[in-house]
Amino acid sequence: MSENYLFECRGLSKSFGPTKAVVEVDFSLPRGEIRALIGENGSGKSTMCSLITGMLKMDSGAMTFKGESFTPGSLLDSQKAGVSILLQETGTIGALTVAENLFLGREQNFIRHGRLDKKAMIDSARAACTHLGLDIDPSLPAASFSFEERKLIEVVRAMQDDPELLIVDETTTALSQAGREIIYSLFKKLKAEDKSAIFITHDLGEMMAVCDSATVLRDGHYVETISKEQFDESRIRQSMIGRQFTSGYYRTDENDESLRDDDIVLDVRGVSYGRSVRKVSFKLRRGEILGIGGLTDCGMHDLGQLMFGALRCDEGEVVHIESGEAIRSPRQAIGLRIAYIPKDRDQASVFLQSEIRDNVAVAASDKLQKHGFIMKRAEKELVLRETGRLSVKMQDIKQLVKSLSGGNKQKIALSKWLANDSEILIMDCPTRGIDVGIKAAVYRLMEQLKGEGRSIIMISEELPELIGMSDRVLIMKNGRLSAEFFRKDGLTESKIIETMI
Amino acid sequence: MIKRLQMKSWYEEKGRRLLKDVFPYLGLIFVLAVFSILTDGAVLKARNLIMIFKQSIIVMVGAMGSSFVLAHGNMDFSVGGSMALASLAACTVGRINPYLMLPTCIICGVLVSFLVSSIHVSIGVPAFLSTMCVMFIGKGIVQSFTGSGISAPAMYAAWDETWVYAVIMVVMLIVSVALFNYTNIGRFNKLIGSNPTAARLSGINIGKYKTLAFLLSGFSVGIAAFLTLLRSGGVSGQTGQTYEIDVIIVLTLGGAPISGGSGVKMRSSILGALTYYALSNGLILYGISPEVVFIVKGALFLTIVALTFDRSNRI
């Protein structure tokens, strides 16, 4: 094995029971390189990272790190050797201060005369945060910070060990542009110090901008490593799913002439909520895909819940035009055939411990009843039809949703609303954390629904999909609408980003 | 190759589900088999089996109602206190008119559960607390008012027949299964137990369906109280003494997940109750003292929960 590689592995394999997660993967990472690890959900990216960091033990194969054989038995082992990982989930402990979180397990460095020198700890914590461009008060408990800030506190913690290899596992999905910038600048710093990073992301635009090369995995197998010069979105996608897209990824039409300004389905009138949404007004047209974008904490996620009645407006109202009713509760909204797909799929959208059948039929249960009893046959037909329409990969409708892959769970969440014949669909980050194949399926579904005259509000943190799918894009900033863009005028990223920050 | 892998995991998933389904049956068969060997077949004698059956039905009926509450993720600790109160009320009313005894039991059970669920749903007190308080209040009232015991009207002595128990059990089972599997009451409670946030965002009226679950639990406790009166001939300080614990152990023994959700099945009540009483009965026939039987029950409960508790959501 060559000396100039920081990390190398040969024939790396790992199985979970009958499932082969990683199969005979060869992978070598030179010093000073930022390498992307990409592939569809379940292609083995996260498993590979777990093997490298010692969280899982490999079945067979060999790894070398800094030219020496490397067999970490635990996360701590790999940390000591110089490998740090930023995980998609996990987090900071809310009740502890930022400083305590940062130096968890390293308190002995701050012991003076048998006592913990809190001031010294807080000072070092402040220095560490500032060093990475994070301006927060480390003496406050972690719980007082936003999700994004807590994620960045983890970044600071990971950098405490001064790692030579940093692994970032989809952390940026949870971050806004500003937070992402911090990670990107971290990559630059590592590169300048001749250190390396492995970056897992579903966002190909981001990947191509920050990585030097990309290794593609498919079904646990190594496919290829693409260098920066050969980066091309469609080529990478093709490599990831192993087949060609027959049609475009996003919508291909330039403009939808059939939308009429006098055919309104939902009217948002001066809605305010706490400090997150301030006097927002807009109208949703029939058959329109309306994109709403902005930074994570701009208020767009709360706005989605307000339109569905899951949150109550402090001021203003959301009016369903056909019925003339103002929306006050999810139950009422569902009755008016409005659907809401929450951002957090597992926590708020699907019932993991329940059967596919119940998950899909729940919103439509009123029409599946006769004299108070559920009509089992009609229900089965409905569930099979809706899951079939989205080609959900499942054994039967009695399978528990928790055993499905992430993308298929999202399809179940969508099926629930299709089963209720929803006319207005509010989707909050509908493609968050799902792979390109299923993303494309969601986009096709949106086009199809639009074609049937249904209206969609897509709230998203990903500009490419807002641009690619929307008839109109609204941008929010600090709780207010800051800009409006129309598809017919041509949507570009640079124009939109300016209005976000 | 991928196809084959998928097939294999398909069989594995099917196998796991099947195992979960047959486990409670195996438990019952295992208990009966072990004790019929240990007691030289005494457990399997017809008279003994009928006794096990009659004993278990009282808890079985209560467990059927409690299944609705367990489905949405709560435990109803009020059933013992509620049973004691219902028995007391029924015996008191029974002196005026013996035929009012069954309706009094049911009304009393439903009223208590309505109180408990209102405290939980409207004021937001955790259900295990509100039900536990009612358990103490109920048992306290009954112990202070019954003294040496109040007997039920004499006419009911003739009703202490196996077929009466069997008829009541079958009717309760049919009604429970219908409500649990074929109406929104059962389905929505299971979904609430599975994910309350998603339930709210799917338009389920959580307060309403939780309340309905408690009312059903109260109804079945009323029926169970009536059966207790048939069996014991009256109410005493001992009435409903460990009933709430018995119900929970029975449900767990029958394979119901203590965390609620779609894993709760009606058959758990029946299988669990039969297994539980076959076990108690077998232990006593084998000559183990009743005090030790308690220890065995406790250990058994702990073992089952440890084996079956869903750890996927543990931090």
Side-chain angles (χ1 to χ4, degrees):
Chain A
M1 293 183 190
S2 169
E3 274 297 309
N4 46 23
Y5 287 123
L6 176 68
F7 173 82
E8 231 183 340
C9 66
R10 290 269 167 270
L12 198 62
S13 299
K14 176 76 189 172
S15 305
F16 301 101
T19 317
K20 294 187 173 173
V22 173
V23 190
E24 301 270 328
V25 170
D26 296 342
F27 178 87
S28 19
L29 180 63
R31 284 185 176 275
E33 184 167 317
I34 309 301
R35 172 76 57 91
L37 198 55
I38 53 178
E40 293 193 285
N41 284 347
S43 59
K45 303 171 305 240
S46 292
T47 309
M48 232 183 104
C49 293
S50 302
L51 293 173
I52 299 174
T53 51
M55 288 189 284
L56 289 173
K57 241 180 126 70
M58 59 187 168
D59 295 340
S60 59
M63 298 194 281
T64 53
F65 183 59
K66 293 192 277 188
E68 283 168 31
S69 169
F70 183 55
T71 48
S74 71
L75 195 56
L76 273 175
D77 266 7
S78 63
Q79 253 167 24
K80 275 184 203 146
V83 181
S84 267
I85 184 163
L86 284 174
L87 292 166
Q88 194 179 1
E89 304 300 332
T90 74
T92 45
I93 302 169
L96 297 185
T97 66
V98 173
E100 284 164 342
N101 268 296
L102 285 181
F103 299 113
L104 201 64
R106 283 185 282 258
E107 290 86 354
Q108 68 276 13
N109 299 348
F110 299 97
I111 301 285
R112 304 270 180 279
H113 315 298
R115 287 182 63 242
L116 184 67
D117 186 349
K118 286 202 172 164
K119 197 177 166 299
M121 196 157 111
I122 288 167
D123 288 341
S124 323
R126 184 170 288 122
C129 289
T130 322
H131 186 66
L132 285 176
L134 180 63
D135 183 24
I136 56 171
D137 180 356
S139 62
L140 295 175
S144 57
F145 294 99
S146 71
F147 179 72
E148 167 151 347
E149 284 162 328
R150 290 178 72 163
K151 213 72 216 167
L152 292 171
I153 293 168
E154 280 178 61
V155 176
V156 178
R157 189 172 60 194
M159 295 312 289
Q160 284 304 301
D161 298 311
D162 200 16
E164 293 193 50
L165 172 60
L166 178 71
I167 302 174
V168 180
D169 188 355
E170 280 189 62
T171 306
T172 50
T173 325
L175 299 180
S176 67
Q177 197 61 32
R180 291 178 183 206
E181 291 297 339
I182 291 187
I183 301 227
Y184 303 156
S185 66
L186 203 60
F187 285 153
K188 279 188 195 132
K189 205 175 290 177
L190 286 168
K191 217 168 135 68
E193 293 168 8
D194 215 23
K195 295 169 181 169
S196 310
I198 296 175
F199 184 30
I200 297 184
T201 176
H202 277 298
D203 184 343
L204 290 186
E206 168 184 58
M207 188 284 283
M208 293 195 289
V210 300
C211 294
D212 302 317
S213 56
T215 295
V216 182
L217 294 179
R218 189 165 69 225
D219 297 327
H221 292 266
Y222 172 91
V223 179
E224 60 175 336
T225 295
I226 309 169
S227 62
K228 197 172 187 86
E229 301 79 58
Q230 296 167 300
F231 277 175
D232 170 62
E233 239 181 286
S234 64
R235 165 165 164 21
I236 295 174
R237 263 194 212 111
Q238 207 175 310
S239 174
M240 282 163 72
I241 58 169
R243 62 188 150 79
Q244 221 164 340
F245 277 103
T246 44
S247 57
Y249 193 48
Y250 297 120
R251 267 170 76 181
T252 46
D253 58 322
E254 294 291 315
N255 185 29
D256 183 357
E257 305 283 350
S258 68
L259 294 176
R260 286 180 20 230
D261 284 342
D262 56 353
D263 197 1
I264 306 296
V265 290
L266 198 70
D267 190 0
V268 177
R269 297 175 184 162
V271 165
S272 296
Y273 177 75
R275 284 188 301 172
S276 68
V277 178
R278 299 171 199 206
K279 292 206 183 329
V280 168
S281 300
F282 62 88
K283 292 176 168 65
L284 176 67
R285 296 174 289 178
R286 189 181 307 280
E288 181 177 37
I289 298 179
L290 174 61
I292 300 183
L295 302 178
T296 309
D297 50 2
C298 69
M300 59 182 181
H301 302 302
D302 284 345
L303 182 62
Q305 297 204 34
L306 288 164
M307 288 186 281
F308 186 61
L311 291 176
R312 288 283 187 89
C313 308
D314 293 339
E315 230 184 296
E317 56 182 4
V318 177
V319 179
H320 180 255
I321 297 299
E322 201 184 306
S323 65
E325 290 176 38
I327 290 157
R328 295 182 199 290
S329 76
R331 197 172 159 62
Q332 177 204 11
I334 292 166
L336 298 170
R337 294 198 286 169
I338 299 175
Y340 170 64
I341 293 162
K343 180 180 171 188
D344 194 337
R345 185 186 61 223
D346 287 2
Q347 297 300 321
S349 189
V350 293
F351 303 88
L352 292 177
Q353 307 285 350
S354 296
E355 296 162 354
I356 288 172
R357 182 192 57 204
D358 289 3
N359 266 277
V360 175
V362 57
S365 51
D366 283 345
K367 70 173 181 189
L368 289 171
Q369 291 195 70
K370 206 174 197 175
H371 313 302
F373 286 94
I374 299 165
M375 298 182 289
K376 289 282 178 180
R377 189 176 297 167
E379 176 187 75
K380 189 174 176 182
E381 276 168 19
L382 178 78
V383 173
L384 284 176
R385 189 174 71 230
E386 296 306 341
T387 50
R389 178 148 129 182
L390 286 169
S391 33
V392 177
K393 271 190 209 153
M394 60 178 191
Q395 292 157 9
D396 55 44
I397 61 173
K398 286 187 173 176
Q399 193 180 348
L400 294 186
V401 169
K402 69 172 174 185
S403 63
L404 296 175
S405 73
N408 279 300
K409 283 181 195 160
Q410 186 70 344
K411 285 185 177 178
I412 294 294
L414 289 162
S415 306
K416 167 168 81 181
W417 298 119
L418 297 181
N420 192 38
D421 289 327
S422 302
E423 285 293 328
I424 300 171
L425 293 97
I426 303 162
M427 303 178 169
D428 195 348
C429 300
T431 63
R432 179 172 177 248
I434 61 177
D435 59 57
V436 281
I438 293 183
K439 257 187 181 180
V442 172
Y443 296 145
R444 290 298 78 73
L445 174 73
M446 287 171 73
E447 270 188 296
Q448 191 192 337
L449 293 172
K450 174 182 162 62
E452 292 166 9
R454 306 183 201 221
S455 314
I456 297 171
I457 292 177
M458 175 171 62
I459 299 165
S460 175
E461 289 164 14
E462 290 178 39
L463 277 183
E465 74 177 9
L466 284 175
I467 292 170
M469 296 306 299
S470 309
D471 291 298
R472 180 162 57 120
V473 177
L474 298 174
I475 297 299
M476 281 182 78
K477 184 180 160 187
N478 300 329
R480 292 174 200 280
L481 287 184
S482 67
E484 182 175 26
F485 299 92
F486 289 89
R487 188 177 194 85
K488 60 174 189 281
D489 303 336
L491 298 163
T492 63
E493 269 189 57
S494 55
K495 257 201 311 197
I496 295 181
I497 286 178
E498 266 175 41
T499 61
M500 284 167 60
I501 307 162
Chain B
M1 152 107 168
I2 288 168
K3 190 93 190 161
R4 233 177 57 211
L5 274 181
Q6 277 175 351
M7 283 306 282
K8 213 170 159 189
S9 68
W10 187 84
Y11 281 120
E12 194 166 86
E13 164 79 18
K14 276 267 170 186
R16 225 187 343 248
R17 266 198 259 169
L18 195 69
L19 194 70
K20 248 189 170 162
D21 283 351
V22 298
F23 204 74
Y25 293 94
L26 290 178
L28 177 59
I29 293 167
F30 177 76
V31 166
L32 284 175
V34 166
F35 283 107
S36 61
I37 295 168
L38 289 179
T39 60
D40 288 330
V43 166
L44 292 181
K45 289 216 174 84
R47 249 191 67 202
N48 193 56
L49 284 180
I50 287 174
M51 200 168 85
I52 294 178
F53 181 63
K54 274 168 81 174
Q55 276 180 329
S56 59
I57 282 179
I58 295 178
V59 175
M60 213 181 267
V61 166
M64 287 177 197
S66 277
S67 295
F68 288 88
V69 176
L70 184 64
H72 76 233
N74 272 324
M75 276 185 218
D76 191 349
F77 286 108
S78 70
V79 291
S82 169
M83 170 184 265
L85 276 178
S87 305
L88 176 64
C91 283
T92 313
V93 173
R95 288 181 171 175
I96 304 162
N97 181 347
Y99 294 101
L100 288 178
M101 216 168 79
L102 179 60
T104 310
C105 280
I106 294 173
I107 290 169
C108 194
V110 170
L111 277 180
V112 170
S113 61
F114 182 68
L115 175 77
V116 166
S117 59
S118 305
I119 296 173
H120 169 55
V121 172
S122 330
I123 309 177
V125 176
F128 80 92
L129 273 180
S130 69
T131 56
M132 216 184 282
C133 295
V134 169
M135 164 182 97
F136 283 122
I137 295 169
K139 287 181 183 173
I141 291 175
V142 172
Q143 279 167 9
S144 23
F145 282 90
T146 49
S148 57
I150 303 171
S151 49
M155 61 172 275
Y156 284 107
W159 286 35
D160 185 17
E161 290 286 343
T162 312
W163 69 266
V164 176
Y165 287 73
V167 166
I168 290 181
M169 187 215 110
V170 169
V171 171
M172 279 297 288
L173 182 65
I174 292 170
V175 172
S176 305
V177 167
L179 289 175
F180 201 63
N181 296 336
Y182 295 90
T183 71
N184 284 343
I185 300 177
R187 152 168 308 164
F188 286 175
N189 271 296
K190 284 182 258 186
L191 289 177
I192 293 168
S194 182
N195 185 343
T197 310
R200 190 174 71 91
L201 292 177
S202 301
I204 295 176
N205 185 340
I206 293 182
K208 173 179 156 188
Y209 283 95
K210 274 187 173 179
T211 306
L212 283 172
F214 275 102
L215 294 183
L216 284 170
S217 175
F219 178 85
S220 59
V221 168
I223 303 284
F226 179 70
L227 290 174
T228 314
L229 291 176
L230 289 192
R231 205 174 145 66
S232 63
V235 57
S236 75
Q238 291 303 306
T239 306
Q241 211 28 258
T242 58
Y243 192 64
E244 59 284 320
I245 305 297
D246 290 342
V247 165
I248 288 165
I249 296 185
V250 157
L251 285 171
T252 321
L253 258 178
I258 221 153
S259 46
S262 297
V264 180
K265 304 259 159 55
M266 235 352 117
R267 63 160 181 268
S268 303
S269 311
I270 295 172
L271 288 171
L274 290 174
T275 313
Y276 184 57
Y277 283 97
L279 183 78
S280 318
N281 176 276
L283 286 171
I284 290 167
L285 282 184
Y286 187 54
I288 290 171
S289 70
E291 293 77 26
V292 180
V293 172
F294 271 114
I295 301 176
V296 175
K297 281 182 185 175
L300 183 75
F301 185 54
L302 207 57
T303 313
I304 290 170
V305 173
L307 285 176
T308 60
F309 191 73
D310 183 13
R311 287 169 181 79
S312 59
N313 293 327
R314 197 171 60 169
I315 300 166

